[in-house]
């Protein structure tokens, strides 16, 4: 690796680190869900899985997957050109990783993938950008991608509307902690994107990103029961939560 290559890699790693810190401001238990996710990958499909990193962003799941399972391979798929730029820069030269730019609402997006089936499809903090109808359709497509005996896992906000007082207490406590961290210098979503727009390597992709998404998509956050029911209806044999925090759930579906 040349000095220029080393400098570029260091820059992408810095963006990865800043993305992680920004996300942890919203989800301080973020690493817990990744640990349990990979525990269940190992338990159900082994230590050399073919993985689809769905709505991969900067490749957060892929990075943790390959650190824990060096013999794994990953296909990362996303539509965000800025986050994909960071992901491609981070993993450049790693033959275990492929990235695909695709819109998960496009019924033909699976045709862009390099493989017809996967041992595991993993996603985190991403599918709440979708409303229920396109999410249910996506779950049907994923049932066709996951091999028999394979798994799908989604770690995301899953709101139980039958517990409004608990939800309000959790939200108030979480926001109080976020305010405290903000006063201590934590970078939020808007600040992070402003900084990305100022980086010459990310300015163009960031502008395209906001042309695609706007400030933030307005999706749904149905309950874990809804996710489990729809996943079974779409072709998975079993589905239930395997981890939860006061605000988020990791739901696992087994084909």
């Amino acid at each position: 690796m040349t000095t220029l290559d080393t400098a570029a890699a260091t820059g992408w790693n810095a963006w990865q680190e800043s993305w992680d810190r920004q996300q942890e401001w919203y989800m301080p238990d973020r690493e817990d869900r990744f640990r349990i996710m990979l525990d269940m990958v190992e338990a159900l499909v082994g230590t050399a899985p073919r993985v689809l990193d769905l709505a991969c962003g900067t490749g957060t799941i892929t990075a943790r997957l390959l650190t824990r399972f060096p013999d794994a391979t990953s296909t990362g798929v996303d539509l965000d050109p800025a986050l994909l730029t960071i992901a491609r820069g981070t993993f450049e030269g790693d033959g275990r990783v492929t990235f695909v730019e695709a819109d998960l609402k496009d019924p033909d997006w699976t045709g862009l993938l390099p493989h017809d089936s996967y041992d595991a499809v993993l996603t985190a903090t991403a599918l709440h950008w979708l409303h229920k109808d396109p999410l249910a359709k996506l779950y049907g497509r994923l049932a066709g991608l996951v091999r028999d005996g394979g798994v799908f896992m989604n770690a995301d906000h899953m709101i139980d509307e039958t517990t409004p007082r608990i939800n309000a207490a959790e939200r108030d406590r979480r926001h109080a902690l976020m305010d405290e961290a903000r006063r201590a210098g934590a970078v939020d979503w808007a600040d992070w994107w402003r900084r990305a727009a100022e980086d010459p390597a990310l300015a163009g992709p960031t502008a395209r990103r906001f042309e695609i998404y706007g400030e933030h998509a307005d999706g749904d956050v149905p309950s874990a029961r809804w996710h489990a029911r729809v996943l079974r209806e779409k072709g998975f044999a079993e589905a239930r939560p395997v981890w939860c925090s006061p605000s988020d759930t990791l739901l696992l579906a087994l084909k």
Side-chain angles (χ1 to χ4, degrees), residues 52-94:
L52 178 63
D53 186 350
L54 190 73
C56 65
T58 65
T60 298
I61 291 174
T62 292
R64 286 149 183 78
L65 172 79
L66 298 180
T67 295
R68 179 158 169 177
F69 307 128
D71 293 329
T73 59
S74 177
T75 303
V77 59
D78 207 302
L79 184 61
D80 189 313
L83 299 185
L84 278 175
T85 296
I86 296 172
R88 287 174 169 138
T90 300
F91 295 97
E92 185 175 8
D94 191 331

Coordinates of all heavy atoms in Angstrom, one line a residue, residues 52-94:
L52 N -25.8 -11.1 3.4 CA -26.3 -9.9 2.7 C -26.5 -8.9 3.8 O -27.3 -9.0 4.7 CB -27.6 -10.2 2.0 CG -28.3 -9.0 1.3 CD1 -27.4 -8.5 0.2 CD2 -29.7 -9.4 0.8
D53 N -25.7 -7.8 3.7 CA -25.8 -6.7 4.6 C -26.8 -5.7 4.0 O -26.4 -4.9 3.1 CB -24.4 -6.1 4.8 CG -24.3 -5.0 5.8 OD1 -25.4 -4.5 6.3 OD2 -23.2 -4.5 6.1
L54 N -28.0 -5.8 4.5 CA -29.1 -5.1 3.9 C -29.2 -3.6 4.4 O -29.2 -3.4 5.6 CB -30.4 -5.8 4.2 CG -31.7 -5.4 3.4 CD1 -31.6 -5.8 2.0 CD2 -32.9 -6.0 4.1
A55 N -29.3 -2.7 3.4 CA -29.3 -1.3 3.8 C -28.0 -1.0 4.6 O -28.0 -0.5 5.7 CB -30.5 -0.8 4.6
C56 N -26.9 -1.3 4.0 CA -25.6 -1.5 4.7 C -25.0 -0.2 5.2 O -24.1 -0.2 6.1 CB -24.6 -2.2 3.8 SG -24.1 -1.3 2.3
G57 N -25.4 0.9 4.7 CA -24.8 2.2 5.1 C -23.3 2.2 4.9 O -22.8 1.9 3.8
T58 N -22.5 2.5 5.9 CA -21.0 2.5 5.8 C -20.4 1.1 5.9 O -19.2 1.0 5.9 CB -20.4 3.4 6.9 OG1 -20.7 2.8 8.2 CG2 -21.0 4.8 6.8
G59 N -21.2 0.1 6.1 CA -20.7 -1.3 6.2 C -20.4 -1.6 7.6 O -19.6 -2.5 7.9
T60 N -21.2 -1.1 8.5 CA -21.1 -1.3 10.0 C -21.2 -2.8 10.3 O -20.3 -3.4 11.0 CB -22.1 -0.6 10.8 OG1 -21.9 0.8 10.6 CG2 -22.0 -0.9 12.3
I61 N -22.2 -3.5 9.8 CA -22.4 -4.9 10.1 C -21.3 -5.7 9.5 O -20.7 -6.6 10.1 CB -23.8 -5.4 9.7 CG1 -24.8 -4.8 10.6 CG2 -23.9 -6.9 9.7 CD1 -26.3 -5.1 10.1
T62 N -20.9 -5.4 8.2 CA -19.9 -6.1 7.5 C -18.6 -6.0 8.3 O -17.8 -7.1 8.4 CB -19.7 -5.5 6.1 OG1 -20.9 -5.8 5.3 CG2 -18.5 -6.1 5.4
A63 N -18.2 -4.9 8.8 CA -17.0 -4.7 9.5 C -16.9 -5.7 10.7 O -15.9 -6.3 11.0 CB -16.8 -3.3 10.0
R64 N -18.0 -5.7 11.5 CA -18.1 -6.6 12.7 C -18.1 -8.1 12.3 O -17.5 -8.9 13.0 CB -19.2 -6.2 13.5 CG -18.9 -4.9 14.3 CD -20.2 -4.0 14.5 NE -19.8 -2.8 15.2 CZ -19.3 -1.7 14.5 NH1 -19.1 -1.8 13.2 NH2 -19.0 -0.6 15.2
L65 N -18.8 -8.4 11.2 CA -18.9 -9.7 10.7 C -17.5 -10.3 10.4 O -17.1 -11.4 10.8 CB -19.8 -9.8 9.5 CG -19.8 -11.1 8.7 CD1 -20.8 -12.1 9.4 CD2 -20.3 -10.8 7.2
L66 N -16.7 -9.5 9.6 CA -15.5 -10.0 9.1 C -14.4 -10.0 10.2 O -13.5 -10.8 10.2 CB -15.0 -9.2 8.0 CG -15.9 -9.2 6.7 CD1 -15.3 -8.3 5.6 CD2 -16.1 -10.6 6.2
T67 N -14.5 -9.1 11.2 CA -13.6 -9.2 12.4 C -13.9 -10.5 13.2 O -12.9 -11.1 13.6 CB -13.9 -8.0 13.3 OG1 -13.5 -6.8 12.5 CG2 -13.0 -8.0 14.5
R68 N -15.1 -10.8 13.3 CA -15.4 -12.0 14.1 C -15.3 -13.3 13.3 O -14.8 -14.3 13.8 CB -16.8 -11.9 14.7 CG -17.2 -13.1 15.5 CD -18.4 -12.8 16.4 NE -18.9 -14.1 17.0 CZ -19.9 -14.1 17.9 NH1 -20.4 -12.9 18.3 NH2 -20.4 -15.2 18.3
F69 N -15.7 -13.3 12.0 CA -15.6 -14.4 11.1 C -14.8 -14.1 9.9 O -15.4 -13.8 8.9 CB -17.0 -14.9 10.7 CG -18.0 -15.0 11.9 CD1 -19.2 -14.4 11.9 CD2 -17.7 -15.9 13.0 CE1 -20.1 -14.6 12.9 CE2 -18.6 -16.1 14.0 CZ -19.8 -15.4 14.0
P70 N -13.5 -14.3 9.9 CA -12.7 -13.9 8.8 C -13.0 -14.7 7.5 O -12.6 -14.2 6.4 CB -11.2 -14.3 9.3 CG -11.3 -14.2 10.8 CD -12.7 -14.7 11.1
D71 N -13.6 -15.9 7.6 CA -14.0 -16.7 6.4 C -15.3 -16.3 5.9 O -15.8 -16.9 4.9 CB -13.9 -18.2 6.8 CG -12.5 -18.6 7.1 OD1 -11.6 -18.0 6.5 OD2 -12.4 -19.5 7.9
A72 N -16.0 -15.3 6.4 CA -17.3 -14.9 5.9 C -17.1 -14.1 4.7 O -16.1 -13.6 4.4 CB -18.1 -14.1 7.0
T73 N -18.2 -14.0 3.9 CA -18.3 -13.0 2.8 C -19.5 -12.2 2.9 O -20.5 -12.6 3.6 CB -18.3 -13.8 1.4 OG1 -19.5 -14.6 1.4 CG2 -17.0 -14.6 1.2
S74 N -19.5 -11.0 2.4 CA -20.6 -10.0 2.5 C -20.9 -9.3 1.3 O -20.0 -8.8 0.6 CB -20.2 -9.0 3.6 OG -21.3 -8.1 3.8
T75 N -22.2 -9.2 1.0 CA -22.7 -8.3 -0.1 C -23.4 -7.2 0.6 O -24.4 -7.4 1.3 CB -23.6 -9.0 -1.0 OG1 -23.0 -10.1 -1.6 CG2 -24.1 -8.1 -2.1
G76 N -22.9 -6.0 0.5 CA -23.6 -4.8 1.1 C -24.5 -4.1 0.0 O -24.0 -3.9 -1.1
V77 N -25.7 -3.9 0.3 CA -26.6 -3.2 -0.6 C -27.2 -2.0 0.0 O -27.7 -2.0 1.2 CB -27.7 -4.2 -1.1 CG1 -28.6 -4.7 0.0 CG2 -28.6 -3.5 -2.2
D78 N -27.2 -0.9 -0.7 CA -27.8 0.4 -0.2 C -28.1 1.3 -1.3 O -27.6 1.0 -2.4 CB -26.8 1.1 0.8 CG -27.6 1.9 1.9 OD1 -28.3 2.9 1.4 OD2 -27.4 1.7 3.1
L79 N -28.8 2.4 -1.1 CA -29.1 3.4 -2.1 C -28.4 4.7 -1.8 O -28.2 5.5 -2.7 CB -30.6 3.6 -2.2 CG -31.1 4.6 -3.3 CD1 -30.7 4.0 -4.7 CD2 -32.6 4.8 -3.2
D80 N -27.9 4.8 -0.6 CA -27.3 6.1 -0.2 C -25.9 6.3 -0.8 O -24.9 5.5 -0.4 CB -27.2 6.2 1.3 CG -26.8 7.5 1.8 OD1 -25.8 8.1 1.3 OD2 -27.4 8.0 2.8
P81 N -25.6 7.2 -1.8 CA -24.3 7.3 -2.4 C -23.2 7.7 -1.5 O -22.1 7.4 -1.7 CB -24.6 8.3 -3.6 CG -25.8 9.1 -3.2 CD -26.6 8.1 -2.3
A82 N -23.5 8.5 -0.5 CA -22.5 9.0 0.4 C -22.0 7.9 1.4 O -20.8 7.7 1.5 CB -23.0 10.2 1.3
L83 N -23.0 7.2 2.0 CA -22.6 6.1 2.9 C -21.9 4.9 2.1 O -20.9 4.3 2.6 CB -23.8 5.6 3.6 CG -24.5 6.6 4.5 CD1 -25.6 5.9 5.3 CD2 -23.5 7.3 5.5
L84 N -22.4 4.7 0.8 CA -21.7 3.7 0.0 C -20.3 4.1 -0.4 O -19.4 3.3 -0.5 CB -22.5 3.4 -1.2 CG -23.7 2.5 -1.1 CD1 -24.5 2.4 -2.4 CD2 -23.2 1.1 -0.7
T85 N -20.0 5.4 -0.5 CA -18.7 5.9 -0.8 C -17.8 5.6 0.3 O -16.6 5.1 0.1 CB -18.7 7.4 -1.1 OG1 -19.5 7.7 -2.3 CG2 -17.3 7.9 -1.3
I86 N -18.2 5.8 1.5 CA -17.4 5.5 2.7 C -17.2 3.9 2.8 O -16.1 3.5 3.1 CB -18.1 6.0 4.0 CG1 -18.2 7.5 4.0 CG2 -17.3 5.5 5.2 CD1 -19.0 8.1 5.1
A87 N -18.2 3.2 2.6 CA -18.1 1.7 2.6 C -17.1 1.2 1.6 O -16.2 0.4 1.9 CB -19.5 1.1 2.4
R88 N -17.2 1.7 0.4 CA -16.3 1.2 -0.7 C -14.9 1.6 -0.4 O -13.9 0.8 -0.6 CB -16.8 1.7 -2.0 CG -18.0 1.0 -2.5 CD -18.6 1.6 -3.8 NE -19.6 0.8 -4.4 CZ -20.7 1.3 -4.9 NH1 -21.0 2.6 -4.9 NH2 -21.6 0.5 -5.4
G89 N -14.7 2.8 0.1 CA -13.3 3.2 0.5 C -12.8 2.4 1.6 O -11.6 2.0 1.6
T90 N -13.6 2.1 2.6 CA -13.1 1.3 3.7 C -12.7 -0.1 3.4 O -11.7 -0.6 3.8 CB -14.2 1.2 4.8 OG1 -14.6 2.5 5.2 CG2 -13.8 0.4 6.0
F91 N -13.5 -0.7 2.5 CA -13.2 -2.1 2.2 C -12.5 -2.4 0.8 O -12.5 -3.5 0.4 CB -14.5 -2.9 2.2 CG -15.2 -3.0 3.6 CD1 -16.2 -2.1 4.0 CD2 -14.7 -3.9 4.5 CE1 -16.7 -2.1 5.2 CE2 -15.3 -3.9 5.8 CZ -16.3 -3.0 6.2
E92 N -12.0 -1.3 0.3 CA -11.4 -1.4 -1.0 C -10.3 -2.5 -1.0 O -9.4 -2.5 -0.1 CB -10.8 -0.1 -1.5 CG -10.2 -0.1 -2.9 CD -9.8 1.2 -3.4 OE1 -9.8 2.2 -2.6 OE2 -9.4 1.3 -4.6
G93 N -10.2 -3.4 -1.9 CA -9.2 -4.4 -2.0 C -9.5 -5.7 -1.2 O -8.8 -6.7 -1.3
D94 N -10.6 -5.7 -0.5 CA -11.0 -6.9 0.3 C -11.9 -7.7 -0.6 O -13.1 -7.4 -0.8 CB -11.7 -6.4 1.6 CG -11.9 -7.6 2.6 OD1 -12.0 -8.8 2.1 OD2 -11.9 -7.4 3.8

